[in-house]
Amino acid sequence: MPSTKKKARSSAKKKSKANKMKGADDSSSPSLSSRMQRMQVGGRCNGNHGLVMNEMGMTCVPFVQKWLQGYNDAIDKVGNMEVSFKITQALTNEDAVWGSSESIDWLVSYFLMTATKQYLNGNIDMAGVDASYADFFNQHKAVVLDKTKPKIDWHEVVRIHNADKPTLAAFLRERIPCTCLD
């Protein structure tokens, strides 16, 4: 007859496995799509951590420059992340970018790449900033374009912005196709 400790451990293992399986069933899970991408590319990385520079990128690069300048100016003046994001969004109101899933996907990928590079270079604070941009754009897409979320979760954006090293590594690892952070 198994001991109470063994039963508890077995029960905990079953619950953990069930939770993992439940997460695997969620097709919107970034970790599932990331795992699939890692399998497809074999974890290899060309230093871009999943970013593909294509025509979309060429369209978005000037937008990124405006976004960064606008956000830095706004945060210096206002000091509030949510308000600064909204000000910057209004300043960079380009339908070709804000209204395009492909553009938003490229922006998310770009900021994940820069966050990963910052992280690998030991600049955790800047990695958090870039990761929060990626999270914001990803949530924008879910709210405005895909309509799968009711609103942006600003607490999550701030949490990623201020994340400690292990939290940030986990966030990025789930979203990039390479194994650079493993």
mmCIF file of all heavy atoms in Angstrom, residues 41-72:
data_model
loop_
_atom_site.group_PDB
_atom_site.id
_atom_site.type_symbol
_atom_site.label_atom_id
_atom_site.label_comp_id
_atom_site.label_asym_id
_atom_site.label_seq_id
_atom_site.Cartn_x
_atom_site.Cartn_y
_atom_site.Cartn_z
ATOM 1 N N VAL A 41 12.961 24.635 -37.122
ATOM 2 C CA VAL A 41 14.264 25.221 -37.436
ATOM 3 C C VAL A 41 15.394 24.537 -36.694
ATOM 4 O O VAL A 41 16.549 24.897 -36.850
ATOM 5 C CB VAL A 41 14.309 26.747 -37.164
ATOM 6 C CG1 VAL A 41 13.321 27.482 -38.022
ATOM 7 C CG2 VAL A 41 14.131 27.064 -35.706
ATOM 8 N N GLY A 42 15.066 23.562 -35.858
ATOM 9 C CA GLY A 42 16.095 22.836 -35.130
ATOM 10 C C GLY A 42 16.804 23.692 -34.107
ATOM 11 O O GLY A 42 17.912 23.375 -33.691
ATOM 12 N N GLY A 43 16.189 24.789 -33.688
ATOM 13 C CA GLY A 43 16.787 25.635 -32.667
ATOM 14 C C GLY A 43 17.938 26.488 -33.180
ATOM 15 O O GLY A 43 18.547 27.225 -32.428
ATOM 16 N N ARG A 44 18.249 26.372 -34.465
ATOM 17 C CA ARG A 44 19.354 27.157 -35.019
ATOM 18 C C ARG A 44 18.993 28.629 -35.065
ATOM 19 O O ARG A 44 17.847 29.000 -35.215
ATOM 20 C CB ARG A 44 19.695 26.680 -36.429
ATOM 21 C CG ARG A 44 20.316 25.300 -36.469
ATOM 22 C CD ARG A 44 20.339 24.805 -37.857
ATOM 23 N NE ARG A 44 18.912 24.578 -38.163
ATOM 24 C CZ ARG A 44 18.430 24.294 -39.333
ATOM 25 N NH1 ARG A 44 19.191 24.200 -40.356
ATOM 26 N NH2 ARG A 44 17.143 24.098 -39.525
ATOM 27 N N CYS A 45 20.007 29.457 -34.951
ATOM 28 C CA CYS A 45 19.750 30.895 -34.940
ATOM 29 C C CYS A 45 20.813 31.599 -35.768
ATOM 30 O O CYS A 45 21.989 31.285 -35.693
ATOM 31 C CB CYS A 45 19.769 31.410 -33.500
ATOM 32 S SG CYS A 45 19.362 33.156 -33.378
ATOM 33 N N ASN A 46 20.370 32.579 -36.524
ATOM 34 C CA ASN A 46 21.303 33.377 -37.316
ATOM 35 C C ASN A 46 21.616 34.702 -36.624
ATOM 36 O O ASN A 46 22.162 35.604 -37.233
ATOM 37 C CB ASN A 46 20.730 33.630 -38.716
ATOM 38 C CG ASN A 46 19.432 34.414 -38.672
ATOM 39 O OD1 ASN A 46 18.960 34.810 -37.608
ATOM 40 N ND2 ASN A 46 18.852 34.644 -39.827
ATOM 41 N N GLY A 47 21.226 34.812 -35.353
ATOM 42 C CA GLY A 47 21.456 36.050 -34.610
ATOM 43 C C GLY A 47 20.253 36.976 -34.614
ATOM 44 O O GLY A 47 20.245 37.977 -33.917
ATOM 45 N N ASN A 48 19.244 36.636 -35.399
ATOM 46 C CA ASN A 48 18.041 37.472 -35.450
ATOM 47 C C ASN A 48 16.917 36.926 -34.581
ATOM 48 O O ASN A 48 15.842 37.510 -34.530
ATOM 49 C CB ASN A 48 17.555 37.640 -36.887
ATOM 50 C CG ASN A 48 18.446 38.581 -37.664
ATOM 51 O OD1 ASN A 48 19.121 39.419 -37.088
ATOM 52 N ND2 ASN A 48 18.457 38.426 -38.970
ATOM 53 N N HIS A 49 17.139 35.799 -33.949
ATOM 54 C CA HIS A 49 16.194 35.230 -32.987
ATOM 55 C C HIS A 49 14.776 35.164 -33.533
ATOM 56 O O HIS A 49 13.813 35.462 -32.830
ATOM 57 C CB HIS A 49 16.254 35.990 -31.659
ATOM 58 C CG HIS A 49 17.644 36.185 -31.172
ATOM 59 N ND1 HIS A 49 18.419 35.149 -30.731
ATOM 60 C CD2 HIS A 49 18.428 37.296 -31.108
ATOM 61 C CE1 HIS A 49 19.621 35.605 -30.390
ATOM 62 N NE2 HIS A 49 19.647 36.900 -30.616
ATOM 63 N N GLY A 50 14.664 34.781 -34.808
ATOM 64 C CA GLY A 50 13.360 34.596 -35.431
ATOM 65 C C GLY A 50 12.906 35.726 -36.326
ATOM 66 O O GLY A 50 11.978 35.550 -37.117
ATOM 67 N N LEU A 51 13.525 36.879 -36.237
ATOM 68 C CA LEU A 51 13.117 38.001 -37.082
ATOM 69 C C LEU A 51 13.526 37.734 -38.529
ATOM 70 O O LEU A 51 14.662 37.348 -38.800
ATOM 71 C CB LEU A 51 13.770 39.307 -36.613
ATOM 72 C CG LEU A 51 13.464 40.529 -37.487
ATOM 73 C CD1 LEU A 51 12.013 40.964 -37.296
ATOM 74 C CD2 LEU A 51 14.397 41.671 -37.152
ATOM 75 N N VAL A 52 12.580 37.948 -39.432
ATOM 76 C CA VAL A 52 12.867 37.820 -40.859
ATOM 77 C C VAL A 52 12.766 39.211 -41.462
ATOM 78 O O VAL A 52 11.720 39.855 -41.393
ATOM 79 C CB VAL A 52 11.864 36.869 -41.550
ATOM 80 C CG1 VAL A 52 12.111 36.826 -43.052
ATOM 81 C CG2 VAL A 52 11.948 35.481 -40.945
ATOM 82 N N MET A 53 13.876 39.685 -42.008
ATOM 83 C CA MET A 53 13.864 41.005 -42.644
ATOM 84 C C MET A 53 13.366 40.820 -44.064
ATOM 85 O O MET A 53 14.004 40.190 -44.891
ATOM 86 C CB MET A 53 15.252 41.637 -42.629
ATOM 87 C CG MET A 53 15.236 43.082 -43.061
ATOM 88 S SD MET A 53 14.016 44.041 -42.157
ATOM 89 C CE MET A 53 15.044 45.175 -41.324
ATOM 90 N N ASN A 54 12.173 41.320 -44.308
ATOM 91 C CA ASN A 54 11.534 41.189 -45.609
ATOM 92 C C ASN A 54 10.921 42.537 -45.986
ATOM 93 O O ASN A 54 11.233 43.549 -45.365
ATOM 94 C CB ASN A 54 10.478 40.082 -45.557
ATOM 95 C CG ASN A 54 9.495 40.271 -44.420
ATOM 96 O OD1 ASN A 54 9.346 41.368 -43.884
ATOM 97 N ND2 ASN A 54 8.821 39.205 -44.042
ATOM 98 N N GLU A 55 10.050 42.540 -46.985
ATOM 99 C CA GLU A 55 9.417 43.797 -47.388
ATOM 100 C C GLU A 55 8.642 44.435 -46.252
ATOM 101 O O GLU A 55 8.631 45.649 -46.093
ATOM 102 C CB GLU A 55 8.470 43.557 -48.580
ATOM 103 C CG GLU A 55 9.133 43.728 -49.919
ATOM 104 C CD GLU A 55 8.107 43.626 -51.038
ATOM 105 O OE1 GLU A 55 7.103 44.369 -51.005
ATOM 106 O OE2 GLU A 55 8.338 42.813 -51.934
ATOM 107 N N MET A 56 7.976 43.599 -45.461
ATOM 108 C CA MET A 56 7.218 44.112 -44.315
ATOM 109 C C MET A 56 8.160 44.846 -43.365
ATOM 110 O O MET A 56 7.844 45.912 -42.857
ATOM 111 C CB MET A 56 6.507 42.961 -43.587
ATOM 112 C CG MET A 56 5.576 43.418 -42.511
ATOM 113 S SD MET A 56 4.266 44.519 -43.105
ATOM 114 C CE MET A 56 3.439 43.474 -44.278
ATOM 115 N N GLY A 57 9.321 44.270 -43.158
ATOM 116 C CA GLY A 57 10.310 44.904 -42.293
ATOM 117 C C GLY A 57 10.766 46.247 -42.832
ATOM 118 O O GLY A 57 10.919 47.211 -42.085
ATOM 119 N N MET A 58 10.938 46.299 -44.135
ATOM 120 C CA MET A 58 11.371 47.553 -44.737
ATOM 121 C C MET A 58 10.312 48.637 -44.554
ATOM 122 O O MET A 58 10.624 49.800 -44.400
ATOM 123 C CB MET A 58 11.691 47.350 -46.226
ATOM 124 C CG MET A 58 12.809 46.341 -46.463
ATOM 125 S SD MET A 58 14.291 46.641 -45.455
ATOM 126 C CE MET A 58 15.017 47.967 -46.353
ATOM 127 N N THR A 59 9.049 48.248 -44.556
ATOM 128 C CA THR A 59 7.947 49.185 -44.314
ATOM 129 C C THR A 59 7.913 49.616 -42.855
ATOM 130 O O THR A 59 7.612 50.768 -42.543
ATOM 131 C CB THR A 59 6.595 48.523 -44.691
ATOM 132 O OG1 THR A 59 6.649 48.132 -46.052
ATOM 133 C CG2 THR A 59 5.438 49.450 -44.453
ATOM 134 N N CYS A 60 8.225 48.679 -41.975
ATOM 135 C CA CYS A 60 8.066 48.926 -40.533
ATOM 136 C C CYS A 60 9.254 49.630 -39.877
ATOM 137 O O CYS A 60 9.094 50.226 -38.810
ATOM 138 C CB CYS A 60 7.788 47.616 -39.806
ATOM 139 S SG CYS A 60 6.168 46.916 -40.180
ATOM 140 N N VAL A 61 10.437 49.556 -40.470
ATOM 141 C CA VAL A 61 11.614 50.159 -39.837
ATOM 142 C C VAL A 61 11.431 51.657 -39.568
ATOM 143 O O VAL A 61 11.699 52.121 -38.456
ATOM 144 C CB VAL A 61 12.903 49.878 -40.654
ATOM 145 C CG1 VAL A 61 14.056 50.751 -40.203
ATOM 146 C CG2 VAL A 61 13.272 48.403 -40.526
ATOM 147 N N PRO A 62 10.928 52.457 -40.529
ATOM 148 C CA PRO A 62 10.698 53.876 -40.206
ATOM 149 C C PRO A 62 9.671 54.043 -39.078
ATOM 150 O O PRO A 62 9.803 54.943 -38.242
ATOM 151 C CB PRO A 62 10.161 54.471 -41.510
ATOM 152 C CG PRO A 62 10.597 53.539 -42.577
ATOM 153 C CD PRO A 62 10.663 52.181 -41.945
ATOM 154 N N PHE A 63 8.676 53.174 -39.042
ATOM 155 C CA PHE A 63 7.687 53.214 -37.963
ATOM 156 C C PHE A 63 8.360 52.950 -36.612
ATOM 157 O O PHE A 63 8.073 53.633 -35.628
ATOM 158 C CB PHE A 63 6.583 52.177 -38.211
ATOM 159 C CG PHE A 63 5.605 52.075 -37.077
ATOM 160 C CD1 PHE A 63 4.503 52.910 -37.031
ATOM 161 C CD2 PHE A 63 5.794 51.160 -36.053
ATOM 162 C CE1 PHE A 63 3.599 52.826 -35.979
ATOM 163 C CE2 PHE A 63 4.901 51.070 -35.007
ATOM 164 C CZ PHE A 63 3.806 51.910 -34.964
ATOM 165 N N VAL A 64 9.253 51.969 -36.565
ATOM 166 C CA VAL A 64 9.963 51.643 -35.316
ATOM 167 C C VAL A 64 10.734 52.864 -34.829
ATOM 168 O O VAL A 64 10.716 53.189 -33.634
ATOM 169 C CB VAL A 64 10.908 50.434 -35.504
ATOM 170 C CG1 VAL A 64 11.857 50.277 -34.323
ATOM 171 C CG2 VAL A 64 10.106 49.157 -35.714
ATOM 172 N N GLN A 65 11.399 53.556 -35.745
ATOM 173 C CA GLN A 65 12.155 54.752 -35.362
ATOM 174 C C GLN A 65 11.235 55.817 -34.774
ATOM 175 O O GLN A 65 11.547 56.426 -33.750
ATOM 176 C CB GLN A 65 12.941 55.286 -36.560
ATOM 177 C CG GLN A 65 14.034 54.327 -36.999
ATOM 178 C CD GLN A 65 14.623 54.670 -38.356
ATOM 179 O OE1 GLN A 65 14.023 55.367 -39.171
ATOM 180 N NE2 GLN A 65 15.824 54.147 -38.609
ATOM 181 N N LYS A 66 10.081 56.045 -35.419
ATOM 182 C CA LYS A 66 9.106 57.011 -34.888
ATOM 183 C C LYS A 66 8.572 56.556 -33.535
ATOM 184 O O LYS A 66 8.396 57.363 -32.621
ATOM 185 C CB LYS A 66 7.920 57.174 -35.847
ATOM 186 C CG LYS A 66 8.203 57.963 -37.077
ATOM 187 C CD LYS A 66 6.906 58.092 -37.874
ATOM 188 C CE LYS A 66 7.167 58.442 -39.306
ATOM 189 N NZ LYS A 66 5.941 58.394 -40.114
ATOM 190 N N TRP A 67 8.282 55.266 -33.428
ATOM 191 C CA TRP A 67 7.749 54.715 -32.173
ATOM 192 C C TRP A 67 8.736 54.946 -31.022
ATOM 193 O O TRP A 67 8.351 55.436 -29.966
ATOM 194 C CB TRP A 67 7.454 53.220 -32.325
ATOM 195 C CG TRP A 67 7.104 52.583 -31.016
ATOM 196 C CD1 TRP A 67 7.943 51.930 -30.173
ATOM 197 C CD2 TRP A 67 5.835 52.605 -30.366
ATOM 198 N NE1 TRP A 67 7.267 51.536 -29.041
ATOM 199 C CE2 TRP A 67 5.967 51.939 -29.145
ATOM 200 C CE3 TRP A 67 4.589 53.123 -30.715
ATOM 201 C CZ2 TRP A 67 4.914 51.770 -28.264
ATOM 202 C CZ3 TRP A 67 3.538 52.957 -29.834
ATOM 203 C CH2 TRP A 67 3.703 52.290 -28.627
ATOM 204 N N LEU A 68 9.985 54.585 -31.241
ATOM 205 C CA LEU A 68 10.989 54.718 -30.179
ATOM 206 C C LEU A 68 11.184 56.174 -29.774
ATOM 207 O O LEU A 68 11.244 56.493 -28.580
ATOM 208 C CB LEU A 68 12.311 54.083 -30.617
ATOM 209 C CG LEU A 68 12.277 52.566 -30.784
ATOM 210 C CD1 LEU A 68 13.583 52.077 -31.392
ATOM 211 C CD2 LEU A 68 11.997 51.872 -29.464
ATOM 212 N N GLN A 69 11.272 57.055 -30.746
ATOM 213 C CA GLN A 69 11.442 58.478 -30.442
ATOM 214 C C GLN A 69 10.217 59.009 -29.701
ATOM 215 O O GLN A 69 10.335 59.710 -28.694
ATOM 216 C CB GLN A 69 11.673 59.280 -31.725
ATOM 217 C CG GLN A 69 11.924 60.760 -31.480
ATOM 218 C CD GLN A 69 13.196 61.000 -30.695
ATOM 219 O OE1 GLN A 69 14.251 60.498 -31.054
ATOM 220 N NE2 GLN A 69 13.110 61.743 -29.611
ATOM 221 N N GLY A 70 9.038 58.681 -30.211
ATOM 222 C CA GLY A 70 7.805 59.151 -29.584
ATOM 223 C C GLY A 70 7.635 58.633 -28.171
ATOM 224 O O GLY A 70 7.259 59.379 -27.256
ATOM 225 N N TYR A 71 7.926 57.342 -27.962
ATOM 226 C CA TYR A 71 7.777 56.773 -26.623
ATOM 227 C C TYR A 71 8.777 57.390 -25.652
ATOM 228 O O TYR A 71 8.421 57.749 -24.528
ATOM 229 C CB TYR A 71 7.926 55.248 -26.636
ATOM 230 C CG TYR A 71 7.755 54.679 -25.252
ATOM 231 C CD1 TYR A 71 6.485 54.513 -24.707
ATOM 232 C CD2 TYR A 71 8.852 54.360 -24.463
ATOM 233 C CE1 TYR A 71 6.311 54.032 -23.420
ATOM 234 C CE2 TYR A 71 8.694 53.884 -23.175
ATOM 235 C CZ TYR A 71 7.423 53.722 -22.662
ATOM 236 O OH TYR A 71 7.263 53.264 -21.375
ATOM 237 N N ASN A 72 10.008 57.527 -26.088
ATOM 238 C CA ASN A 72 11.029 58.120 -25.200
ATOM 239 C C ASN A 72 10.664 59.552 -24.819
ATOM 240 O O ASN A 72 10.814 59.945 -23.655
ATOM 241 C CB ASN A 72 12.414 58.069 -25.849
ATOM 242 C CG ASN A 72 12.959 56.656 -25.892
ATOM 243 O OD1 ASN A 72 12.618 55.810 -25.068
ATOM 244 N ND2 ASN A 72 13.806 56.384 -26.871
#
